[in-house]
Amino acid sequence: MRRSAYLAVVGVLLVLPVVATFHQARAGAELHDARVGVAAPPIVVEALTGALSSLPGTPIDVVPIGTGALRESAALDRGRQAVADGRLDAVVVLDLTTTSDTLFVTTTRTRPYVDAVADRLAAVSEGFGRTLQLQRVDPDRAAASAWVPGVLAGAWCGIGVLGAVAATLVGGRVDRDGGSSLRRLALLLLTGVVAGLGSGALVDLPGLQPLVTLVAAATGTVAVTGGLVLAAESLLGLPGIAVAVALLVGPTLPLLTGVTPDLLTEPWHAIDRISPPTAAWQVARGAVGHADGSAAPWAMLAAWGVIATVTVLTARAMRPVEVRSATAPLRATGGR
């Protein structure tokens, strides 16, 4: 009965992401809360904000960039620099002396994301009788291509899961004694450090500080994903590994359609944004200079890490009394 229940749970956890993947493929990219700077007089920014707020789902959050009485060339330079600094993913500079505006977009965003931003802004510009010219900008501190953070995050998550599974296959159940739990958590941390150093060797980083950030991101991701597998195993036994892997892999399946987590359709976007793989992708983007280094994804990883650690270390006490009693004679006789 228990085995059937486990299989049913794993089946549901795997079927839902497959459904989500088909839904994502049919629906296409859906932009969410893109922060786009606008360099224009305040009255124009207000009108543009009102027009963008009428779009379904409010996909664009307008960030005013004051240009004052700057000449057109100076306004363009300021808009380009705002993208190059990594503070914004995109900036629109309006030239009121013509009917053509300029959209600067960072090269650290994938083409589907750029197309989604440009299409929505172009639709609004056309409503005002204006056109939009797209220019890609290389950030000053960015390393690697737009797809690298996703590849790194996927590799780190895979290493964490495989490391936890390998530890169980070699050393037996994680909750057989308290020392085993601590040793495996420490091993995951060490594996994460090695993964981070290896990632740093593959990515052309500009200095020591980015390397430290990358190692920290890899260490946190490997430890959290591996720790969650161990936590599920501690509570549910070996079938818990399958449950944990399904929960970790499931939210990432819609990404097989070629979109990034911030372009997933609802409700999958809301579900995916709290998953460890998405937090790993966000910290990886910050580590290679593709984002502003927001603390939110780090906090998400930390929260999952605390949950995993507490569960692993307290699982023995949380197991039913009859299970602990049944295993006590085996421990007392050394398993004979």
mmCIF file of all heavy atoms in Angstrom, residues 251-274:
data_model
loop_
_atom_site.group_PDB
_atom_site.id
_atom_site.type_symbol
_atom_site.label_atom_id
_atom_site.label_comp_id
_atom_site.label_asym_id
_atom_site.label_seq_id
_atom_site.Cartn_x
_atom_site.Cartn_y
_atom_site.Cartn_z
ATOM 1 N N PRO A 251 9.792 21.630 -11.864
ATOM 2 C CA PRO A 251 9.638 23.032 -12.268
ATOM 3 C C PRO A 251 10.521 23.453 -13.436
ATOM 4 O O PRO A 251 10.271 24.481 -14.059
ATOM 5 C CB PRO A 251 10.030 23.794 -10.993
ATOM 6 C CG PRO A 251 9.784 22.841 -9.883
ATOM 7 C CD PRO A 251 10.142 21.494 -10.447
ATOM 8 N N THR A 252 11.569 22.671 -13.738
ATOM 9 C CA THR A 252 12.480 23.068 -14.813
ATOM 10 C C THR A 252 12.071 22.499 -16.173
ATOM 11 O O THR A 252 12.604 22.945 -17.193
ATOM 12 C CB THR A 252 13.913 22.595 -14.510
ATOM 13 O OG1 THR A 252 13.962 21.160 -14.532
ATOM 14 C CG2 THR A 252 14.368 23.084 -13.143
ATOM 15 N N LEU A 253 11.139 21.552 -16.215
ATOM 16 C CA LEU A 253 10.782 20.948 -17.491
ATOM 17 C C LEU A 253 10.223 21.951 -18.506
ATOM 18 O O LEU A 253 10.548 21.860 -19.689
ATOM 19 C CB LEU A 253 9.769 19.805 -17.277
ATOM 20 C CG LEU A 253 10.334 18.509 -16.693
ATOM 21 C CD1 LEU A 253 9.255 17.435 -16.700
ATOM 22 C CD2 LEU A 253 11.544 18.027 -17.466
ATOM 23 N N PRO A 254 9.386 22.925 -18.102
ATOM 24 C CA PRO A 254 8.918 23.900 -19.093
ATOM 25 C C PRO A 254 10.051 24.689 -19.742
ATOM 26 O O PRO A 254 9.868 25.257 -20.824
ATOM 27 C CB PRO A 254 7.998 24.818 -18.271
ATOM 28 C CG PRO A 254 7.515 23.958 -17.156
ATOM 29 C CD PRO A 254 8.688 23.087 -16.810
ATOM 30 N N LEU A 255 11.232 24.739 -19.101
ATOM 31 C CA LEU A 255 12.353 25.468 -19.680
ATOM 32 C C LEU A 255 12.878 24.762 -20.927
ATOM 33 O O LEU A 255 13.631 25.371 -21.707
ATOM 34 C CB LEU A 255 13.477 25.616 -18.656
ATOM 35 C CG LEU A 255 13.089 26.273 -17.321
ATOM 36 C CD1 LEU A 255 14.318 26.421 -16.433
ATOM 37 C CD2 LEU A 255 12.441 27.620 -17.548
ATOM 38 N N LEU A 256 12.503 23.495 -21.123
ATOM 39 C CA LEU A 256 12.913 22.773 -22.323
ATOM 40 C C LEU A 256 12.318 23.394 -23.582
ATOM 41 O O LEU A 256 12.769 23.095 -24.696
ATOM 42 C CB LEU A 256 12.496 21.304 -22.231
ATOM 43 C CG LEU A 256 13.134 20.495 -21.085
ATOM 44 C CD1 LEU A 256 12.597 19.076 -21.085
ATOM 45 C CD2 LEU A 256 14.657 20.483 -21.219
ATOM 46 N N THR A 257 11.322 24.256 -23.433
ATOM 47 C CA THR A 257 10.742 24.939 -24.586
ATOM 48 C C THR A 257 11.621 26.087 -25.061
ATOM 49 O O THR A 257 11.309 26.722 -26.073
ATOM 50 C CB THR A 257 9.347 25.486 -24.235
ATOM 51 O OG1 THR A 257 9.446 26.389 -23.123
ATOM 52 C CG2 THR A 257 8.401 24.360 -23.863
ATOM 53 N N GLY A 258 12.723 26.370 -24.345
ATOM 54 C CA GLY A 258 13.661 27.401 -24.789
ATOM 55 C C GLY A 258 13.469 28.752 -24.151
ATOM 56 O O GLY A 258 14.114 29.721 -24.569
ATOM 57 N N VAL A 259 12.619 28.856 -23.133
ATOM 58 C CA VAL A 259 12.419 30.135 -22.456
ATOM 59 C C VAL A 259 13.116 30.102 -21.102
ATOM 60 O O VAL A 259 13.412 29.042 -20.563
ATOM 61 C CB VAL A 259 10.919 30.457 -22.266
ATOM 62 C CG1 VAL A 259 10.197 30.468 -23.589
ATOM 63 C CG2 VAL A 259 10.265 29.465 -21.313
ATOM 64 N N THR A 260 13.389 31.278 -20.573
ATOM 65 C CA THR A 260 13.988 31.394 -19.245
ATOM 66 C C THR A 260 12.885 31.463 -18.198
ATOM 67 O O THR A 260 11.715 31.694 -18.533
ATOM 68 C CB THR A 260 14.872 32.644 -19.175
ATOM 69 O OG1 THR A 260 14.140 33.775 -19.682
ATOM 70 C CG2 THR A 260 16.130 32.469 -20.012
ATOM 71 N N PRO A 261 13.214 31.264 -16.899
ATOM 72 C CA PRO A 261 12.159 31.247 -15.875
ATOM 73 C C PRO A 261 11.280 32.489 -15.851
ATOM 74 O O PRO A 261 10.089 32.397 -15.525
ATOM 75 C CB PRO A 261 12.963 31.120 -14.572
ATOM 76 C CG PRO A 261 14.185 30.371 -14.970
ATOM 77 C CD PRO A 261 14.525 30.876 -16.345
ATOM 78 N N ASP A 262 11.831 33.673 -16.194
ATOM 79 C CA ASP A 262 11.021 34.886 -16.136
ATOM 80 C C ASP A 262 10.093 35.047 -17.334
ATOM 81 O O ASP A 262 9.385 36.048 -17.440
ATOM 82 C CB ASP A 262 11.919 36.128 -16.003
ATOM 83 C CG ASP A 262 13.072 36.107 -16.986
ATOM 84 O OD1 ASP A 262 13.101 35.236 -17.849
ATOM 85 O OD2 ASP A 262 13.949 36.979 -16.874
ATOM 86 N N LEU A 263 10.083 34.061 -18.253
ATOM 87 C CA LEU A 263 9.172 34.109 -19.396
ATOM 88 C C LEU A 263 8.133 32.993 -19.365
ATOM 89 O O LEU A 263 7.384 32.815 -20.317
ATOM 90 C CB LEU A 263 9.965 34.020 -20.705
ATOM 91 C CG LEU A 263 10.860 35.206 -21.051
ATOM 92 C CD1 LEU A 263 11.619 34.932 -22.343
ATOM 93 C CD2 LEU A 263 10.057 36.479 -21.175
ATOM 94 N N LEU A 264 8.092 32.232 -18.275
ATOM 95 C CA LEU A 264 7.112 31.153 -18.170
ATOM 96 C C LEU A 264 5.702 31.718 -18.054
ATOM 97 O O LEU A 264 5.486 32.784 -17.474
ATOM 98 C CB LEU A 264 7.406 30.278 -16.947
ATOM 99 C CG LEU A 264 8.666 29.424 -16.998
ATOM 100 C CD1 LEU A 264 8.862 28.709 -15.676
ATOM 101 C CD2 LEU A 264 8.614 28.423 -18.143
ATOM 102 N N THR A 265 4.738 30.984 -18.583
ATOM 103 C CA THR A 265 3.345 31.399 -18.468
ATOM 104 C C THR A 265 2.834 31.074 -17.062
ATOM 105 O O THR A 265 3.397 30.242 -16.357
ATOM 106 C CB THR A 265 2.471 30.670 -19.509
ATOM 107 O OG1 THR A 265 2.607 29.262 -19.317
ATOM 108 C CG2 THR A 265 2.910 31.024 -20.916
ATOM 109 N N GLU A 266 1.760 31.732 -16.684
ATOM 110 C CA GLU A 266 1.110 31.407 -15.417
ATOM 111 C C GLU A 266 0.239 30.163 -15.600
ATOM 112 O O GLU A 266 -0.281 29.923 -16.682
ATOM 113 C CB GLU A 266 0.250 32.588 -14.948
ATOM 114 C CG GLU A 266 1.037 33.861 -14.644
ATOM 115 C CD GLU A 266 1.970 33.720 -13.440
ATOM 116 O OE1 GLU A 266 2.038 32.617 -12.855
ATOM 117 O OE2 GLU A 266 2.629 34.699 -13.101
ATOM 118 N N PRO A 267 0.060 29.330 -14.570
ATOM 119 C CA PRO A 267 0.551 29.515 -13.193
ATOM 120 C C PRO A 267 1.953 28.982 -12.956
ATOM 121 O O PRO A 267 2.449 29.015 -11.849
ATOM 122 C CB PRO A 267 -0.460 28.711 -12.378
ATOM 123 C CG PRO A 267 -0.794 27.554 -13.278
ATOM 124 C CD PRO A 267 -0.804 28.119 -14.678
ATOM 125 N N TRP A 268 2.585 28.474 -14.029
ATOM 126 C CA TRP A 268 3.898 27.842 -13.857
ATOM 127 C C TRP A 268 4.958 28.848 -13.415
ATOM 128 O O TRP A 268 5.877 28.491 -12.682
ATOM 129 C CB TRP A 268 4.309 27.157 -15.158
ATOM 130 C CG TRP A 268 3.170 26.440 -15.805
ATOM 131 C CD1 TRP A 268 2.631 26.679 -17.037
ATOM 132 C CD2 TRP A 268 2.374 25.388 -15.238
ATOM 133 N NE1 TRP A 268 1.567 25.841 -17.276
ATOM 134 C CE2 TRP A 268 1.394 25.041 -16.191
ATOM 135 C CE3 TRP A 268 2.398 24.706 -14.021
ATOM 136 C CZ2 TRP A 268 0.453 24.038 -15.958
ATOM 137 C CZ3 TRP A 268 1.469 23.718 -13.788
ATOM 138 C CH2 TRP A 268 0.504 23.392 -14.743
ATOM 139 N N HIS A 269 4.821 30.099 -13.843
ATOM 140 C CA HIS A 269 5.788 31.111 -13.420
ATOM 141 C C HIS A 269 5.747 31.325 -11.916
ATOM 142 O O HIS A 269 6.786 31.411 -11.250
ATOM 143 C CB HIS A 269 5.514 32.432 -14.142
ATOM 144 C CG HIS A 269 6.335 33.573 -13.639
ATOM 145 N ND1 HIS A 269 5.835 34.542 -12.794
ATOM 146 C CD2 HIS A 269 7.643 33.891 -13.847
ATOM 147 C CE1 HIS A 269 6.793 35.411 -12.503
ATOM 148 N NE2 HIS A 269 7.886 35.045 -13.124
ATOM 149 N N ALA A 270 4.539 31.405 -11.349
ATOM 150 C CA ALA A 270 4.396 31.604 -9.901
ATOM 151 C C ALA A 270 4.947 30.421 -9.120
ATOM 152 O O ALA A 270 5.562 30.590 -8.057
ATOM 153 C CB ALA A 270 2.925 31.833 -9.548
ATOM 154 N N ILE A 271 4.757 29.196 -9.649
ATOM 155 C CA ILE A 271 5.278 28.007 -8.974
ATOM 156 C C ILE A 271 6.793 27.939 -9.092
ATOM 157 O O ILE A 271 7.505 27.661 -8.127
ATOM 158 C CB ILE A 271 4.635 26.737 -9.574
ATOM 159 C CG1 ILE A 271 3.119 26.736 -9.319
ATOM 160 C CG2 ILE A 271 5.270 25.471 -9.007
ATOM 161 C CD1 ILE A 271 2.375 25.640 -10.030
ATOM 162 N N ASP A 272 7.280 28.240 -10.280
ATOM 163 C CA ASP A 272 8.715 28.096 -10.540
ATOM 164 C C ASP A 272 9.555 29.115 -9.777
ATOM 165 O O ASP A 272 10.687 28.828 -9.397
ATOM 166 C CB ASP A 272 8.974 28.246 -12.043
ATOM 167 C CG ASP A 272 10.407 27.949 -12.414
ATOM 168 O OD1 ASP A 272 10.740 26.752 -12.494
ATOM 169 O OD2 ASP A 272 11.192 28.890 -12.615
ATOM 170 N N ARG A 273 9.007 30.291 -9.526
ATOM 171 C CA ARG A 273 9.811 31.350 -8.930
ATOM 172 C C ARG A 273 10.228 31.050 -7.485
ATOM 173 O O ARG A 273 11.156 31.672 -6.967
ATOM 174 C CB ARG A 273 9.050 32.673 -8.975
ATOM 175 C CG ARG A 273 7.816 32.727 -8.110
ATOM 176 C CD ARG A 273 7.006 33.986 -8.371
ATOM 177 N NE ARG A 273 7.796 35.190 -8.133
ATOM 178 C CZ ARG A 273 7.336 36.424 -8.323
ATOM 179 N NH1 ARG A 273 6.099 36.597 -8.764
ATOM 180 N NH2 ARG A 273 8.094 37.460 -8.059
ATOM 181 N N ILE A 274 9.584 30.076 -6.812
ATOM 182 C CA ILE A 274 9.992 29.722 -5.455
ATOM 183 C C ILE A 274 10.807 28.429 -5.421
ATOM 184 O O ILE A 274 11.120 27.929 -4.350
ATOM 185 C CB ILE A 274 8.764 29.575 -4.523
ATOM 186 C CG1 ILE A 274 7.876 28.419 -4.986
ATOM 187 C CG2 ILE A 274 7.992 30.875 -4.428
ATOM 188 C CD1 ILE A 274 6.751 28.090 -4.015
#
